[in-house]
């Protein structure tokens, strides 16, 4: 198969959909890989590394789209790319269709085949191509929180791990899923006194089993949250109710009960946030202060660490890309139900029900395309 990897053109996006190592794996299997000039640069992969891996470099985005049977990307196509996408071309990338109607309509019109990273789903309901970004954001949440706890940045001036003779900082994590667990490992590793809250008792049991001694677990409810926010230095929002807006677990009135210089990192901000006062911020201007409480609410945290994020994402996408390249999208989706669930739009038909419902558009069950 001919695979094209364009350079990401969305503002501040430095990730790339394929590493030189990934290109090598595809080339080894007999595929032709074309990388747009400088596509990997933002992640630390110059053109020469791709050439050494057996890929070819194309000078422009137009040439990359023109030649490819499968386009591998990171972010959803933006308007300037719509016209480059061809009929029958396989687009393997994040789309998040339900949040943006113009993109959905453009992809319907393109008659391409859109396989969305975010809806590839395993039998246990986990989303293997979203997990890596949650891992990055969870770990980063503690790094950022520790930083903003420093006095010159508005924080309480407390060192996360303390020092001998001085108690460590207290970290409260709301939600013990992927983000919360990774945050807990980082905070615990730095020596903080950590509490994870979740509603899911089996999950709390699991966390209590695997976490080190400086991590406690607690049932998530308003009573417990109100009590703990009064003496915790760093609070990380990491809850998710799939398909719904995050619940406001910390409300405006609660800020007054916190210590001045408390830091809130609401990782769930991309789902509306679990802290009422959190509004999306950017890496350029990541924080704001309300009632002496520092709010960090960057909606695309992994974008700040493109090297790690690119490697983490491609570790997860490559096995699927290889199946798609070896078999073509139809046979790959027939053989692997995880990939079949990734199909969102085929030849102008919306084949993912939630996307069709989001815009009151016609829905075509994907079996229409997968039946022999
Ligand atoms: N800001 C970013 O850059 C960024 C990056 C990656 C992920 N995220 C977001 O982080 C959030 C968490 O993602 P995840 O992968 O960890 O999800 P997850 O499904 O693995 O975990 C969510 C956890 O929240 C728990 N939960 C639900 N309601 C709760 C409540 N009321 N109190 C306490 N816990 C509750 C669930 O039981 C679950 O364990 C999502 O909104 C995700 O989109 C943001």
């Amino acid at each position: 198969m001919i695979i094209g990897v364009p350079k990401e053109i969305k503002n501040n996006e430095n990730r790339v959909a394929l590493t030189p190592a990934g290109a090598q794996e595809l080339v080894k299997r007999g595929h032709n890989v074309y990388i747009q000039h400088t596509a990997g640069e933002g992640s630390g992969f110059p053109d020469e590394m791709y050439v050494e891996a057996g890929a070819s470099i194309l000078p422009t985005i137009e040439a990359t789209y023109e030649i490819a049977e499968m386009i591998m990307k990171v972010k959803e196509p933006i308007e300037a790319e719509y016209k480059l996408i061809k009929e029958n071309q396989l687009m393997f990338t994040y789309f998040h269709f339900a949040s943006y109607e113009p993109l959905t309509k453009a992809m319907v019109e393109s008659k391409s085949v859109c396989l969305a990273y975010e809806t590839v789903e395993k039998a246990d309901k986990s989303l293997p191509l979203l997990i890596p970004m949650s891992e990055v954001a969870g770990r980063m949440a503690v790094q950022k929180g520790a930083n903003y706890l420093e006095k010159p940045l508005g924080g309480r001036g407390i060192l996360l791990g303390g020092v001998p003779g001085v108690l460590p900082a207290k970290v409260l994590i709301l939600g013990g899923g992927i983000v919360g667990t990774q945050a807990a490992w980082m905070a615990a590793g730095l020596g903080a006194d950590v509490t994870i809250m979740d509603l899911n008792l089996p999950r709390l049991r699991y966390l209590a089993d695997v976490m080190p001694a400086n991590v406690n677990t607690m049932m998530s409810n308003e009573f417990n949250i109100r009590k703990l926010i009064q003496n915790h230095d760093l609070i990380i929002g990491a809850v998710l109710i799939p398909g719904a807006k995050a619940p406001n677990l910390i409300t405006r009135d609660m800020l007054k009960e916190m210590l001045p210089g408390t830091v809130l990192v609401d990782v769930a901000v991309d789902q509306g946030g679990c802290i009422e006062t959190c509004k999306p911020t950017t890496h350029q201007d990541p924080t704001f202060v309300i009632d002496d409480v520092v709010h960090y609410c960057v909606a695309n945290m992994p974008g700040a660490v493109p090297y790690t994020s690119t490697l983490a994402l491609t570790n997860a996408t490559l096995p699927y890309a290889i199946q798609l390249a070896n078999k073509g999208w139809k046979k790959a989706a027939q053989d692997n139900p995880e990939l079949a669930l990734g199909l969102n739009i085929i030849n102008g038909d919306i084949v993912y029900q939630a996307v069709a419902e989001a815009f009151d558009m016609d829905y075509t069950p994907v079996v229409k395309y997968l039946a022999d």
Side-chain angles (χ1 to χ4, degrees):
M1 186 182 271
I2 301 173
I3 298 150
V5 181
K7 187 178 170 85
E8 296 295 321
I9 53 176
K10 199 167 177 178
N11 199 15
N12 273 317
E13 182 53 68
N14 286 299
R15 287 174 291 175
V16 61
L18 193 65
T19 58
Q24 189 172 51
E25 290 303 316
L26 288 162
V27 169
K28 219 162 71 183
R29 289 166 174 80
H31 304 295
N32 294 320
V33 177
Y34 291 89
I35 309 284
Q36 186 188 336
H37 173 52
T38 70
E41 218 162 54
S43 297
F45 305 124
D47 288 354
E48 303 80 69
M49 286 179 76
Y50 289 100
V51 172
E52 266 174 45
S56 307
I57 305 297
L58 288 174
T60 61
I61 191 168
E62 288 81 9
T64 311
Y65 272 91
E66 181 54 37
I67 201 166
E69 293 167 274
M70 169 162 71
I71 288 285
M72 290 183 69
K73 266 180 63 59
V74 178
K75 295 303 281 184
E76 71 282 358
I78 62 174
E79 213 179 326
E81 288 167 299
Y82 294 172
K83 61 180 186 308
L84 302 175
I85 298 166
K86 301 185 299 180
E87 192 169 340
N88 291 325
Q89 195 164 43
L90 173 59
M91 298 290 299
F92 189 38
T93 185
Y94 287 122
F95 278 106
H96 297 287
F97 279 122
S99 62
Y100 195 47
E101 190 169 3
L103 171 69
T104 309
K105 291 201 158 144
M107 291 307 103
V108 164
E109 274 167 30
S110 74
K111 296 205 178 319
S112 61
V113 177
C114 299
L115 212 151
Y117 290 167
E118 69 275 7
T119 65
V120 172
E121 186 178 317
K122 287 187 178 279
D124 65 2
K125 301 271 176 218
S126 63
L127 304 170
L129 304 187
L130 279 182
I131 286 174
M133 294 304 102
S134 286
E135 290 171 334
V136 171
R139 290 184 171 222
M140 233 182 114
V142 172
Q143 199 168 301
K144 287 290 164 192
N147 206 214
Y148 284 102
L149 277 172
E150 292 172 14
K151 198 73 178 171
L153 296 179
R156 289 195 63 218
I158 185 168
L159 187 64
L160 216 57
V163 289
V166 183
L167 289 176
K170 286 176 172 289
V171 177
L172 172 61
I173 299 172
L174 301 171
I178 308 289
V179 168
T181 303
Q182 296 301 316
W185 282 120
M186 289 294 275
L190 287 168
D193 174 351
V194 183
T195 301
I196 310 178
M197 286 192 185
D198 205 293
L199 286 175
N200 179 335
L201 197 49
R203 182 72 188 171
L204 290 178
R205 287 199 183 101
Y206 163 78
L207 291 169
D209 269 353
V210 300
M211 283 288 157
N214 55 336
V215 178
N216 290 302
T217 58
M218 205 173 185
M219 181 50 70
S220 174
N221 56 47
E222 187 180 338
F223 184 90
N224 286 343
I225 292 172
R226 276 194 186 273
K227 192 166 157 205
L228 265 61
I229 56 166
Q230 294 175 20
N231 66 352
H232 276 62
D233 307 289
L234 168 60
I235 301 171
I236 295 174
V239 307
L240 176 66
I241 301 176
K245 193 212 157 288
N248 275 334
L249 301 183
I250 295 188
T251 49
R252 176 80 177 80
D253 63 297
M254 291 185 190
L255 300 190
K256 294 208 160 38
E257 296 169 34
M258 296 178 187
L259 299 165
T262 297
V263 174
L264 307 180
V265 177
D266 197 351
V267 184
V269 65
D270 63 335
Q271 298 291 329
C274 62
I275 295 167
E276 190 180 5
T277 42
C278 263
K279 299 283 167 288
T281 58
T282 61
H283 289 294
Q284 280 68 40
D285 192 9
T287 59
F288 56 90
V289 177
I290 302 177
D291 289 347
D292 281 333
V293 172
V294 180
H295 294 58
Y296 176 98
C297 314
V298 174
N300 66 330
M301 293 172 68
V305 287
Y307 175 78
T308 305
S309 299
T310 287
L311 287 168
L313 179 63
T314 57
N315 282 344
T317 54
L318 186 66
Y320 294 106
I322 289 173
Q323 293 169 47
L324 292 166
N326 285 349
K327 301 179 178 182
W329 67 266
K330 183 175 172 183
K331 179 83 171 71
Q334 283 171 333
D335 290 353
N336 185 348
E338 297 170 18
L339 274 175
L341 284 165
L343 287 164
N344 278 225
I345 297 177
I346 303 174
N347 191 25
D349 287 335
I350 299 182
V351 297
Y352 197 87
Q353 194 162 2
V355 174
E357 281 170 2
F359 306 119
D360 209 11
M361 291 165 82
D362 288 339
Y363 163 63
T364 306
V366 74
V367 288
K368 174 183 159 189
Y369 286 96
L370 297 187
D372 274 322

